[in-house]
């Protein structure tokens, strides 16, 4: 008999990503007695520095930013009751097209097989029943998110063990609602040009293509507080402007596409662990 606990592993690119799309499930499943494991692939050095110093400023110190963001990540994990935090500590690649994409040691430049082998070692150690990461476009095209998807799928191929695998996504209906909320809470919000609007309209999936809708309303406060733990990036975290109540109303359901399953659990489903317990 295998007496290990049911285990969820979430593979994310940067500190703070864990809270945005999976903070609810990490908190919910921890509360249900499921072991939660977070793998963060980069150190976040391309984030804002103390005082809001931007990455293109000569005063920006990636090493100092990474150290600060590690502390914030640990605080977020404490809020979400994450059982195990594992960091691969690749250099943050920045947004697509930035010079940091090709900097030595950047996650984007790292061979997939190399990073996947390290992740596969973690999968063998924790034996996750459910693995969650981004879709093939990294949800919105961020190079580190794309790379996280690539190494996760490659690591899964190396281990061939996980019964259920999911990619994070958002229903198009929620994306439309998000635009309305942006206009409500951000006085500086400017409507995107037609090309940007068309690109934004392609983010997420039609509601009927989403396989898994997990209610995390009861954990909205933890999810909000986990995001707030990443205070150095507050200027970039729009959701914090809403306050906890409105945040929970908008972000109280986390959605996924099931891309691998050995349980034959029917879809749509409302539990990542359907068929496993």
């Amino acid at each position: 008999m295998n007496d290990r606990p049911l285990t969820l592993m979430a593979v994310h690119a940067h500190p703070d990503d864990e809270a945005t799309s999976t903070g609810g499930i990490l908190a919910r499943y921890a509360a249900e007695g499921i072991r939660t494991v977070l793998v963060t692939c980069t150190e976040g050095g391309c984030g804002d520095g103390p005082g809001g110093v931007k990455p293109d400023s000569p005063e920006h110190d990636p090493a100092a930013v990474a150290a600060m963001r590690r502390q914030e990540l640990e605080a977020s994990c404490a809020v979400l009751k994450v059982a195990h935090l594992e960091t691969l500590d690749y250099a943050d690649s920045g947004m697509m097209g930035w010079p940091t994409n090709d900097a030595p040691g950047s996650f984007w430049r790292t061979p997939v097989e190399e990073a996947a082998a390290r992740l596969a070692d973690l999968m063998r150690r924790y034996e996750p029943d459910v693995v969650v990461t981004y879709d093939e476009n990294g949800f919105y095209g961020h190079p580190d998110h794309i790379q996280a998807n690539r190494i996760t799928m490659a690591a899964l191929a190396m281990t061939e063990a996980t019964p259920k695998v999911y990619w994070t996504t958002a229903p198009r209906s929620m994306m439309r609602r998000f635009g309305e909320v942006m206009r409500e809470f951000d006085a500086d919000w400017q409507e995107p040009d037609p090309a940007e609007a068309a690109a934004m309209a392609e983010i997420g999936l039609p509601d009927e293509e989403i396989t898994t809708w997990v209610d995390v309303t009861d954990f909205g406060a933890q999810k909000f507080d986990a995001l707030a733990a990443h205070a150095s990036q507050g200027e970039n975290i729009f959701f914090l402007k809403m306050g906890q109540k409105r945040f929970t109303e908008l972000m109280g359901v986390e959605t996924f596409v099931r891309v691998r399953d050995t349980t034959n659990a029917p879809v749509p489903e409302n539990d990542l662990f359907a068929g496993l317990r």
Side-chain angles (χ1 to χ4, degrees), residues 9 74 104 107 109 123 125 137 146 159 164 172 196 202 218 260:
M9 175 181 283
E74 292 173 352
F107 189 40
R109 185 174 173 176
M123 290 180 177
R125 181 191 310 172
N137 189 46
I146 295 170
T159 58
K164 303 185 81 175
R172 295 269 168 82
E196 290 177 337
E202 294 301 313
D218 291 345
R260 178 183 297 179

Side-chain angles (χ1 to χ4, degrees), residues 31 210 263 277:
I210 293 173
T263 68
R277 55 179 177 169

